[in-house]
Amino acid sequence: MKKENHSRYQLHLNYPASWWKNMWREALPSGNGKIGAAVYGGIKNETILINHQDLWHMGVKDNLPDVSQHLQKTRELMETKKYREASRVLSNTLKEKNYQSQLSSLLPLADFKVEMPVAQAFKKYNRKLNMETGEVTVSWNEEDYNMVRKLFVSRADDLIVYEIESTKPLDWIHFKLSLHSTDQPKMEQRIRELEEHSKSKAADYFLYFSAKNDDQTDFGVVAKVIPSEGELLVKNQSITCKNVKKVRILMKVFVQSNSTFMWGKLEKELRQCTATYQELLTRHLPLHQELFHCADFRLETEDSSCSNEELLMSAYQGEASPQLIEKLWHFGRYLFISGTSEEGTQPFGMYGLWAGDYQLMWGHRMANENIQMMYWHAGVGGLSRLVPVMFDYYERMLGDFRLNAQHLYGCRGIYIPAGTTPEIGLPSQIVPVILNWTGAAAWLSQTFYEYYLYTKDQHFLEHKLLPFMKEVAHFYEDFLVELHGETSIYPSISPENTPYNYMPEAGESLAHPMPTTINATMDIALIKELLQHLIEACEESQLFLNEINKWKEMIQTLPPYKVNKEGAIKEWAHNDFQDRYEHRHLSHLYPLFPGKEMANSTDEEQLAPFRKAVSLREIEAQTGWSFAHMASIYARLGEGTSALEQIDRLTQSCLLTNLYTVHNDWRSMGLSMEIETAPVQMDANLGIVGAIQEMLLFVSQKQVRLLPAVPYRWKKGEVKNFRFHSGIVSFQWDLQKKSFKARLKAISNTNITLLLPSFIKEQKILIIAADKEQNVLSSSEITVQLEANQALSIKSIER
């Protein structure tokens, strides 16, 4: 491989943020997992949008009435095939009782506004995000001098660090803190409320801002402006620096507190901070880079310094370049480690820590695909340490989830609604497609069980995960019933699809016309997986052994999957519901991905229905995240070319210049469904990371596959420190030379079957353990048995 090139870790843009009236969508982000800062604007005016993970507003938590008696009515209607009427029983009942819980929305904390003079037309304008350091830099030339503005959010000092530097003194620079400005007309009343209770002040070297949230607590920011020379003027709640070549600004934020107290506290802390920009950066880097560099992936490329605009234009010609693929992998991980933290309270969200409106579309935690997708990459990528905060988020709402199970369905255990926000775990989306889906808790259990498999955290397993999974199982023990002589799941939803034969006539436009069915394939797969993991965990921990036989019997009585007349796995394992291919969700393929029930299979007869089902999904119904999901499915099938084609489509349709992913293409190019707003959704950013990793490495408890779906366009590459459940693996490949070498190191005792890349199956394989040549094989399948800290090297050799 070539010598280290640090431009691999940088995003370069030659054009300013320009999305009309929503420039925050094309900002460059920095964050420490708790505080986010997004930089956008132009040379004359720059805005730093500030967010905090715990700042939300407009949530309403109502008393959930007990409507569990209506489950029987729903089922009676379904048993007589009155599915449309049955679908709305629960939602209509809650509406009739005037139940009005409402999910919270992310609340932007403040804007730090910068205004500068413009003497001459600019030259060599550039925006840059250094993912390796977390720094955002904006630079340009003007006349005979150079200008640089740079920012990062410190993990070490928990503050925003911003510096402006010029090679000659500037006449003036103007700074102001204010409420975040937005272009949402429907939020005018709420913004007026915030404005009425906001205050700002400038004194000495400090700017102060605060506002009152709807819970009557204050939030705000204190900034210290430190010019290295020149003059500082305080006027009208703002600060102007005159005749300066360099000025440094330090910002600390607060939420859910009292502004009078916090202004004084943060001012004192900032007065004590005398470190330079470089000194603060030096303290920050080890903490950031420990996460960022815990794994690495690179493709052999001619040039990794192309601008984002160049990379996107190349993708529009039909193929995402290796440079773009590599940058997307690094960027997704950068967003993840910058947008959530081990010590934080919030899991990664759809907008990360960079939300720029007061009521964002789908800004909540959505557990019927989205939040799970954002964590699929964590285990293999070495970032399992960031998963527990997600579990803690849901654990804090267990009281709500138990009440849901009792009052909605008359069941023990827990029912998690698909949509939640902090501390609001009661159902808030009162529509059948959400209320009648019971699979969220089971699907989340998969994420948490994978965390245990990678960490072997026995305390987490015994004291957190097992009790959680038991409650999910207890819900299904009560919820599953017998219908026509077999165990059945109803109501049952395949998110968020409606069977073809229940779609309305042409001309009607409904998002989810009739989703309520019997035996959705996903529900069968989720329950089966949950119970299997629960049995494994109980046997390993020797806990709850008396319940295992009951769960084994439940698995045996679950309905089988079915295949339709096209040869595809049916989305609903019931004959009353016909498959509908014009949809973005791929829920019925769960046994293949993200589940692993079918993933170890080499039986084409078993895999063919899943292969057929994914091929039938219609392209104009897709989204950014569904392309990422589809790429992972093709990777599980060993189809690297098809997997990469889905990422190609995503880059052609749902990628902004700053590499944020959006839900859909807003330009009517025919590669996705159409929603005018095309909201930012970072689930696809993280889904791309997961899909790339699926193409490079497959991990299950018994089997590890190296390069299971590497596309031929990735001719040469390298992986460092990817994880399997009990160890670490690094490898290099060259498709043209048909060469491959790998090194595995066990973290704990390891007993796995290792499958080598198919392109070296005709070559001899040299295996070296404990630095001694052990064996030369002609097999692509190796049994690996290692004790903790033992290593194994593998190298292909020409015959």
Side-chain angles (χ1 to χ4, degrees):
M1 302 298 293
K2 287 183 178 179
K3 188 178 178 181
E4 182 67 75
N5 181 350
H6 288 273
S7 66
R8 297 173 55 244
Y9 306 127
Q10 298 174 2
L11 304 185
H12 296 270
L13 295 96
N14 296 322
Y15 203 73
S18 57
W19 193 285
W20 179 243
K21 292 194 173 184
N22 276 288
M23 285 193 287
W24 64 268
R25 293 165 58 101
E26 293 185 321
L28 291 181
S30 183
N32 65 1
K34 301 175 185 177
I35 300 166
V39 181
Y40 64 92
I43 288 172
K44 182 178 179 182
N45 293 287
E46 182 164 87
T47 297
I48 299 167
L49 164 65
I50 303 170
N51 285 91
H52 190 283
Q53 63 173 346
D54 289 326
L55 189 56
W56 298 70
H57 68 149
M58 300 194 302
V60 176
K61 195 169 182 180
D62 201 357
N63 292 317
L64 180 65
D66 188 343
V67 296
S68 57
Q69 69 274 17
H70 291 274
L71 175 60
Q72 186 59 33
K73 181 180 178 181
T74 299
R75 286 177 167 164
E76 287 173 357
L77 288 168
M78 297 184 78
E79 288 163 11
T80 57
K81 302 185 184 298
K82 296 178 180 177
Y83 298 116
R84 295 186 193 278
E85 296 93 323
S87 186
R88 297 194 171 273
V89 168
L90 184 54
S91 56
N92 285 345
T93 301
L94 287 174
K95 289 175 183 177
E96 288 165 6
K97 292 184 176 290
N98 202 32
Y99 172 71
Q100 294 184 3
S101 282
Q102 177 178 300
L103 294 172
S104 304
S105 292
L106 292 157
L107 174 55
L109 192 144
D111 282 346
F112 184 74
K113 298 283 191 179
V114 182
E115 184 179 1
M116 296 174 60
V118 177
Q120 296 289 330
F122 66 87
K123 296 178 181 178
K124 297 183 179 180
Y125 175 85
N126 180 262
R127 291 194 292 155
K128 182 174 72 175
L129 171 63
N130 187 337
M131 297 178 282
E132 195 176 23
T133 65
E135 290 177 282
V136 175
T137 304
V138 180
S139 62
W140 69 95
N141 293 350
E142 198 169 314
E143 290 186 316
D144 57 346
Y145 62 97
N146 304 322
M147 286 294 312
V148 178
R149 298 190 294 231
K150 52 188 179 180
L151 170 146
F152 71 96
V153 184
S154 172
R155 300 187 90 94
D157 295 283
D158 207 32
L159 51 73
I160 300 168
V161 185
Y162 182 57
E163 187 167 86
I164 302 173
E165 187 171 8
S166 171
T167 54
K168 82 170 188 179
L170 297 172
D171 292 340
W172 56 271
I173 311 175
H174 188 71
F175 302 106
K176 185 178 181 181
L177 277 168
S178 64
L179 195 69
H180 174 63
S181 58
T182 182
D183 299 295
Q184 282 187 302
K186 65 179 181 179
M187 286 286 101
E188 286 181 1
Q189 178 58 37
R190 175 63 181 138
I191 293 168
R192 279 198 294 270
E193 293 171 2
L194 289 165
E195 287 173 340
E196 287 172 6
H197 297 93
S198 68
K199 54 186 179 180
S200 58
K201 183 178 77 170
D204 197 7
Y205 291 87
F206 291 89
L207 290 168
Y208 310 80
F209 168 79
S210 74
K212 191 173 293 294
N213 204 352
D214 50 15
D215 64 357
Q216 300 309 301
T217 65
D218 294 338
F219 61 90
V221 57
V222 178
K224 179 184 178 184
V225 180
I226 313 163
S228 60
E229 55 189 48
E231 184 182 3
L232 186 146
L233 301 177
V234 176
K235 185 178 180 181
N236 297 330
Q237 293 84 49
S238 65
I239 288 177
T240 300
C241 294
K242 291 192 171 186
N243 299 315
V244 292
K245 292 176 70 174
K246 181 187 288 188
V247 58
R248 183 169 74 261
I249 299 94
L250 307 179
M251 291 177 257
K252 280 186 168 267
V253 306
F254 64 91
V255 298
Q256 299 172 349
S257 191
N258 174 273
S259 62
T260 303
F261 171 76
M262 291 306 297
W263 278 5
K265 178 177 183 294
L266 298 185
E267 178 193 323
K268 182 178 179 180
E269 292 176 6
L270 289 170
R271 285 187 184 277
Q272 293 171 348
C273 183
T274 59
T276 66
Y277 180 98
Q278 188 57 47
E279 288 169 341
L280 291 166
L281 182 63
T282 300
R283 292 207 290 257
H284 159 78
L285 286 180
L287 301 175
H288 176 82
Q289 292 184 350
E290 180 189 9
L291 291 165
F292 185 76
H293 284 309
C294 70
D296 203 4
F297 156 65
R298 66 181 65 196
L299 295 171
E300 186 75 0
T301 62
E302 294 181 0
D303 181 14
S304 60
S305 62
C306 294
S307 71
N308 283 19
E309 294 90 348
E310 290 171 313
L311 293 173
L312 284 175
M313 290 304 294
S314 177
Y316 291 158
Q317 301 307 306
E319 292 185 357
S321 67
Q323 298 98 313
L324 180 55
I325 292 293
E326 196 181 291
K327 300 252 186 189
L328 286 169
W329 186 82
H330 288 299
F331 185 57
R333 284 169 54 87
Y334 170 80
L335 291 174
F336 189 65
I337 67 174
S338 302
T340 187
S341 70
E342 295 174 77
E343 297 82 17
T345 60
Q346 299 301 319
F348 193 85
M350 300 281 266
Y351 293 83
L353 286 174
W354 307 284
D357 277 331
Y358 287 85
Q359 190 174 39
L360 290 154
M361 191 172 185
W362 304 321
H364 51 272
R365 315 298 191 210
M366 196 66 176
N368 69 357
E369 169 90 10
N370 313 92
I371 196 167
Q372 290 93 336
M373 173 176 281
M374 292 188 287
Y375 281 79
W376 285 340
H377 67 95
V380 167
L383 294 172
S384 292
R385 70 187 83 177
L386 297 178
V387 174
V389 69
M390 178 185 174
F391 181 88
D392 294 344
Y393 166 82
Y394 285 102
E395 187 181 45
R396 289 194 296 271
M397 294 183 279
L398 279 173
D400 286 354
F401 302 152
R402 294 183 184 115
L403 188 67
N404 296 340
Q406 295 165 9
H407 282 198
L408 295 179
Y409 289 108
C411 296
R412 295 171 299 147
I414 59 175
Y415 165 91
I416 299 180
T420 60
T421 50
E423 315 310 326
I424 299 182
L426 299 178
S428 302
Q429 298 159 295
I430 310 306
V431 289
V433 72
I434 301 299
L435 283 173
N436 295 341
W437 184 59
T438 62
W443 196 350
L444 289 166
S445 295
Q446 185 211 46
T447 302
F448 306 143
Y449 192 67
E450 279 290 309
Y451 166 78
Y452 164 70
L453 292 176
Y454 278 98
T455 63
K456 304 299 189 291
D457 184 338
Q458 207 66 30
H459 184 271
F460 174 81
L461 177 70
E462 295 178 10
H463 297 279
K464 288 180 174 287
L465 181 54
L466 260 176
F468 182 92
M469 291 198 298
K470 263 192 67 181
E471 292 208 63
V472 185
H474 288 165
F475 174 85
Y476 285 119
E477 288 170 26
D478 293 351
F479 184 73
L480 298 183
V481 292
E482 188 173 289
L483 177 64
H484 305 315
E486 69 174 13
T487 298
S488 294
I489 310 162
Y490 69 114
S492 182
I493 299 279
S494 188
E496 298 170 0
N497 205 355
T498 289
Y500 180 79
N501 53 321
Y502 280 92
M503 286 298 291
E505 295 179 6
E508 291 187 60
S509 178
L510 295 171
H512 312 291
M514 205 301 290
T516 307
T517 67
I518 300 171
N519 293 346
T521 297
M522 174 183 237
D523 278 343
I524 300 169
L526 283 170
I527 296 169
K528 187 187 298 185
E529 178 188 72
L530 167 78
L531 297 175
Q532 287 172 335
H533 287 167
L534 190 51
I535 292 166
E536 289 173 13
C538 289
E539 289 175 340
E540 184 163 333
S541 63
Q542 291 296 292
L543 296 171
F544 312 119
L545 297 177
N546 61 320
E547 298 195 62
I548 285 178
N549 286 336
K550 168 184 59 178
W551 294 326
K552 287 181 177 179
E553 289 174 9
M554 286 176 66
I555 292 173
Q556 292 300 317
T557 60
L558 286 170
Y561 308 133
K562 292 187 177 181
V563 176
N564 65 21
K565 62 183 180 181
E566 284 90 6
I569 197 79
K570 272 181 60 61
E571 192 154 352
W572 299 275
H574 191 282
N575 292 333
D576 284 356
F577 309 104
Q578 297 174 12
D579 283 279
R580 176 175 170 242
Y581 305 128
E582 189 185 353
H583 205 260
R584 61 203 175 276
H585 278 266
L586 300 133
S587 310
H588 54 313
L589 302 182
Y590 190 97
L592 179 70
F593 179 87
K596 295 179 181 176
E597 182 183 347
M598 298 292 175
N600 289 326
S601 176
T602 57
D603 184 348
E604 183 55 31
E605 190 173 339
Q606 277 190 324
L607 295 176
F610 293 90
R611 200 182 305 276
K612 184 67 174 179
V614 67
S615 71
L616 288 171
R617 272 318 199 238
E618 296 181 11
I619 191 170
E620 290 188 36
Q622 301 315 305
T623 63
W625 59 259
S626 73
F627 282 134
H629 191 150
M630 209 177 293
S632 293
I633 290 169
Y634 277 117
R636 284 281 170 93
L637 289 166
E639 297 186 23
T641 298
S642 296
L644 186 53
E645 283 176 355
Q646 308 316 309
I647 299 179
D648 289 339
R649 291 170 176 177
L650 194 162
T651 61
Q652 289 176 284
S653 59
C654 299
L655 205 57
L656 301 182
T657 54
N658 59 351
L659 302 191
Y660 282 3
T661 50
V662 293
H663 175 268
N664 60 278
D665 198 340
W666 63 100
R667 299 161 301 190
S668 299
M669 296 296 284
L671 280 181
S672 73
M673 63 184 299
E674 294 186 14
I675 297 177
E676 185 179 356
T677 51
V680 169
Q681 283 192 285
M682 292 181 182
D683 48 4
N685 278 115
L686 278 300
I688 292 168
V689 178
I692 290 170
Q693 291 175 183
E694 286 285 344
M695 297 158 77
L696 299 168
L697 184 71
F698 168 77
V699 175
S700 70
Q701 293 186 66
K702 297 181 179 179
Q703 188 184 95
V704 172
R705 297 201 290 261
L706 303 176
L707 295 178
V710 61
Y712 192 71
R713 279 163 46 195
W714 296 357
K715 292 180 173 60
K716 190 175 181 181
E718 181 178 5
V719 159
K720 290 183 180 179
N721 298 330
F722 275 19
R723 283 291 315 273
F724 55 96
H725 290 154
S726 58
I728 300 170
V729 59
S730 300
F731 50 88
Q732 297 177 12
W733 75 92
D734 188 322
L735 297 182
Q736 292 175 316
K737 293 182 179 179
K738 294 188 176 181
S739 67
F740 178 80
K741 63 179 180 179
R743 178 178 171 82
L744 287 78
K745 183 177 181 180
I747 295 173
S748 58
N749 291 344
T750 296
N751 186 356
I752 57 170
T753 299
L754 182 68
L755 273 65
L756 301 180
S758 60
F759 66 86
I760 60 167
K761 65 182 179 181
E762 301 299 327
Q763 300 191 42
K764 289 186 178 181
I765 309 300
L766 176 65
I767 301 176
I768 302 172
D771 296 325
K772 294 181 181 178
E773 182 177 319
Q774 280 197 341
N775 213 342
V776 176
L777 301 177
S778 296
S779 171
S780 61
E781 185 174 308
I782 302 171
T783 298
V784 175
Q785 293 180 322
L786 298 170
E787 295 180 1
N789 297 316
Q790 283 189 329
L792 177 74
S793 295
I794 298 167
K795 184 178 180 180
S796 65
I797 53 177
E798 294 184 11
R799 288 183 179 274

